[in-house]
Amino acid sequence: METPGISAFLHKRIDEYSFKPVTYKKGKVVKSADGVVTVEGLTGTRYGELLEFSGGVFGMALELSDKAVGAVLFDVSESVQAGESAKGTGQVIEVPVGENLLGRIIDPIGRPLDGKALRTEKYYPAERPAPPIIDRRPVDTPMATGILAIDSMIPIGRGQRELIIGDRQTGKTTIAIDSIINQKDSDVICVYCAIGQKASTVAGVIETLQKAGAMDYTVVVHAGASDSAAMQYLAPYSACSVAEYFEERGKDVLVIYDDLTKHAVAYRMMSLLLLRPPGREAFPGDIFYLHSRLLERSACLSKEKGGGSITAMPVVETMDGNISAYIPTNVISITDGQIFLESDLFHAGVRPAVNTGLSVSRVGRSAQTNAMKAVSGTLRIDLSQYRETEVFTRFGSDPDPATARLLKKGECLINILKQDKSSPYTLFRQVALLVAHKTGALLDVPQKEFKETLKRYLDFMESKFASEAESINAGGDMTNDTLLSLEKAAKSFGETLK
Ligand code: ATP
Ligand code: MG
């Protein structure tokens, strides 16, 4: 950019300082109930504009008609009375953004919730347009979650939108939090947006992040179950604006929206109170747009735009595994894939409870590292073959030796894919585990010794291939020779177990 002349620069600065007279239109509150207020006489109000009531209470205009304006209040404990005056501020909701937010917990309008002062210079509106097509580029860099079942079979790329979907208490939040923890040694910034959750649950999440040292690169945006519907509605948009600040500066950002079901419910409540016509499941007609405009803001920016990205992991809760309900189908169709968690698997001890048959990643394959590609090729087929055969053997017939081996290999693979929470694997460890599956090195390990043997195996491989591990973890590339020697070592480890 060309440097402006001194006079031109000063002129601009003085222009910025000049105060213009502001004219307000005053309206009158005619109705106020359940946090929704109807104001008459406010012409010229914008959609989403902040309204100030005479008692100093703020609301957001969401329903504009020729006679009246419908607004929702931000604070449920404050009240507005009929007959009070109201004025439009000409402002939309803005949220503070910047490096100072790292490690902080804020609410959707930017108030710090951790009891410390917050100083930022920049403010972004909560609602911002999604980047246009020409500013985007295809997803080509992996966003490693450190969870073997996901990185190997449902790989996620930076700039992708991957839905985490499942019934309550199936480990949805755990997957999201583990993904944040795994970004510790990468340069990814994380934003965790909690919508409509219990304060105790969110406190638990923050404690987990702090213990893992993940708060240093994470921002938490929180609108709890006791906050107003308007705050819950705003939360994901604000979180996205916080992320966009970093994205615009060439950083890769991971944003978790936990969860969009509660977000939709908050919006439904506001819409019904604003007397909008209810549609399917009583949601308003624009419920699809509610989430599509949010998730379209995650993108992989082109090199000219700085090359930053926002990866979104929205969470959606299902009832009884029903992924064809309204909100799940909407969000599935907006995102680039889903990780489907199943109650039955979770209770059977298969954790993370990923149902690989119903989970997909539509763009992540192209972002997978060479090392992972080399070992994960047949994994999905192996697993589905095992599941299919397992169903038949339930009828009690004695399987032939080939089927018995397939079953044994499948069981072993399921054990390999089990992973504790808050313990992400490095890429080398993931590769080593898949090599163990490929070579059948851990086939004869009894179930109750499996976890301990697996740990011993990983330590053995890591100490034997220290330099290879370093280069695989750093670049994600693996030569064929390395793969062959890994396989050889895995086999020899298997021999020692016999
Ligand atoms: P909610 O519907 O209440 O939001 P959720 O689907 O987000 O639940 P989580 O809170 O992540 O589920 O997990 C539920 C419980 O399962 C937690 O107590 C968590 O510790 C446990 N859990 C999740 N994943 C694992 C795992 N891989 N290994 C062991 N325990 C796990
Ligand atoms: Mg949860």
Side-chain angles (χ1 to χ4, degrees):
M1 205 180 77
E2 216 178 287
T3 320
I6 293 176
S7 300
F9 179 70
L10 288 176
H11 212 91
K12 193 164 159 281
R13 293 286 296 166
I14 291 167
D15 271 354
E16 279 168 9
Y17 279 119
S18 73
F19 293 98
K20 296 188 190 88
V22 190
T23 50
Y24 289 119
K25 263 225 160 74
K26 259 195 171 171
K28 197 169 125 194
V29 175
V30 290
K31 200 172 131 197
S32 167
D34 304 313
V36 169
V37 180
T38 312
V39 187
E40 275 184 2
L42 273 188
T43 48
T45 307
R46 279 198 293 164
Y47 185 83
E49 185 176 333
L50 273 179
L51 300 183
E52 189 180 353
F53 299 95
S54 50
V57 178
F58 280 94
M60 179 170 51
L62 277 186
E63 186 74 35
L64 309 178
S65 69
D66 50 358
K67 286 202 188 68
V69 172
V72 287
L73 298 182
F74 285 110
D75 195 337
V76 274
S77 64
E78 296 171 335
S79 67
V80 168
Q81 279 160 8
E84 253 183 47
S85 67
K87 66 175 191 219
T89 62
Q91 301 266 330
V92 290
I93 280 283
E94 288 188 333
V95 58
V97 295
E99 316 279 337
N100 288 356
L101 280 174
L102 293 177
R104 303 302 303 272
I105 305 152
I106 59 166
D107 75 359
I109 55 170
R111 286 184 309 162
L113 298 178
D114 47 10
K116 289 178 264 175
L118 176 65
R119 259 183 227 99
T120 53
E121 272 149 31
K122 261 187 142 48
Y123 283 81
Y124 277 0
E127 296 262 11
R128 302 178 81 220
I133 288 179
I134 44 162
D135 290 347
R136 298 178 183 234
R137 77 189 148 95
V139 170
D140 60 2
T141 319
M143 168 67 74
T145 63
I147 301 167
L148 179 61
I150 294 175
D151 288 349
S152 60
M153 288 179 284
I154 321 151
I156 303 171
R158 293 188 184 181
Q160 186 178 345
R161 298 154 305 169
E162 184 78 10
L163 169 67
I164 304 175
I165 183 168
D167 281 5
R168 52 176 295 277
Q169 290 290 306
T170 47
K172 301 183 297 297
T173 305
T174 306
I175 288 191
I177 297 305
D178 285 357
S179 308
I180 293 184
I181 292 175
N182 194 47
Q183 306 310 320
K184 194 161 185 194
D185 297 319
S186 68
D187 51 357
V188 176
I189 305 267
C190 302
V191 180
Y192 178 75
C193 176
I195 310 158
Q197 295 194 51
K198 285 182 292 188
S200 58
T201 315
V202 182
V205 166
I206 292 168
E207 198 186 312
T208 313
L209 290 175
Q210 269 164 348
K211 263 196 201 141
M215 274 310 275
D216 298 344
Y217 52 86
T218 304
V219 185
V220 177
V221 180
H222 170 68
S226 61
D227 284 321
S228 65
M231 285 291 230
Q232 295 183 33
Y233 159 75
L234 268 178
Y237 302 105
S238 297
C240 195
S241 293
V242 169
E244 276 168 354
Y245 171 86
F246 296 106
E247 180 200 30
E248 285 163 8
R249 279 150 191 80
K251 296 261 188 203
D252 293 313
V253 192
L254 169 66
V255 193
I256 316 280
Y257 305 111
D258 194 1
D259 64 65
L260 289 188
T261 317
K262 297 198 181 76
H263 182 237
V265 167
Y267 189 60
R268 172 170 67 186
M269 187 173 117
M270 287 183 353
S271 298
L272 290 175
L273 288 170
L274 287 164
L275 303 182
R276 287 182 187 165
R280 186 176 156 190
E281 292 180 23
F283 285 109
D286 60 345
I287 195 80
F288 186 86
Y289 181 53
L290 179 80
H291 292 150
S292 65
R293 73 172 189 268
L294 169 71
L295 293 169
E296 273 301 294
R297 285 166 69 182
S298 20
C300 198
L301 293 185
S302 63
K303 291 276 178 278
E304 295 76 49
K305 290 285 167 186
S309 73
I310 293 185
T311 312
M313 277 199 190
V315 176
V316 161
E317 187 182 301
T318 52
M319 301 271 267
D320 220 6
N322 181 13
I323 49 172
S324 50
Y326 195 21
I327 302 299
T329 42
N330 274 356
V331 184
I332 284 175
S333 71
I334 298 165
T335 47
D336 310 305
Q338 72 271 355
I339 298 168
F340 181 52
L341 303 176
E342 218 169 47
S343 256
D344 291 347
L345 288 175
F346 189 83
H347 294 305
V350 182
R351 298 173 191 183
V354 181
N355 175 329
T356 40
L358 288 176
S359 303
V360 288
S361 171
R362 296 193 191 102
V363 292
R365 268 275 169 211
S366 49
Q368 216 171 17
T369 54
N370 289 338
M372 189 51 103
K373 270 191 193 146
V375 285
S376 67
T378 62
L379 219 51
R380 261 172 182 278
I381 301 169
D382 292 350
L383 213 53
S384 63
Q385 262 180 353
Y386 163 68
R387 292 263 179 234
E388 230 166 63
T389 322
E390 186 213 6
V391 173
F392 283 113
T393 51
R394 277 194 208 147
F395 301 120
S397 61
D398 253 350
D400 58 84
T403 316
R405 189 175 158 76
L406 194 136
L407 286 172
K408 208 167 160 188
K409 219 169 164 194
E411 272 159 32
C412 180
L413 177 57
I414 301 249
N415 277 328
I416 289 176
L417 291 174
K418 283 182 190 168
Q419 193 171 345
D420 282 340
K421 59 176 185 170
S422 312
S423 49
Y425 289 131
T426 59
L427 180 58
F428 175 78
R429 285 187 166 231
Q430 294 186 336
V431 169
L433 285 169
L434 296 181
V435 166
H437 161 66
K438 202 171 164 194
T439 54
L442 304 173
L443 272 188
D444 297 310
V445 182
Q447 174 76 26
K448 53 178 201 297
E449 287 168 26
F450 202 91
K451 213 167 156 180
E452 191 262 332
T453 315
L454 197 74
K455 199 171 167 299
R456 230 163 13 97
Y457 165 75
L458 284 174
D459 291 343
F460 163 76
M461 292 297 265
E462 210 158 44
S463 60
K464 195 169 162 75
F465 296 97
S467 64
E468 284 87 346
E470 204 173 308
S471 83
I472 288 177
N473 285 338
D477 287 324
M478 178 172 67
T479 60
N480 217 12
D481 288 344
T482 314
L483 179 59
L484 289 178
S485 41
L486 284 177
E487 286 178 359
K488 211 167 134 208
K491 275 187 195 140
S492 71
F493 183 86
E495 292 299 322
T496 63
L497 298 174
K498 282 185 182 147

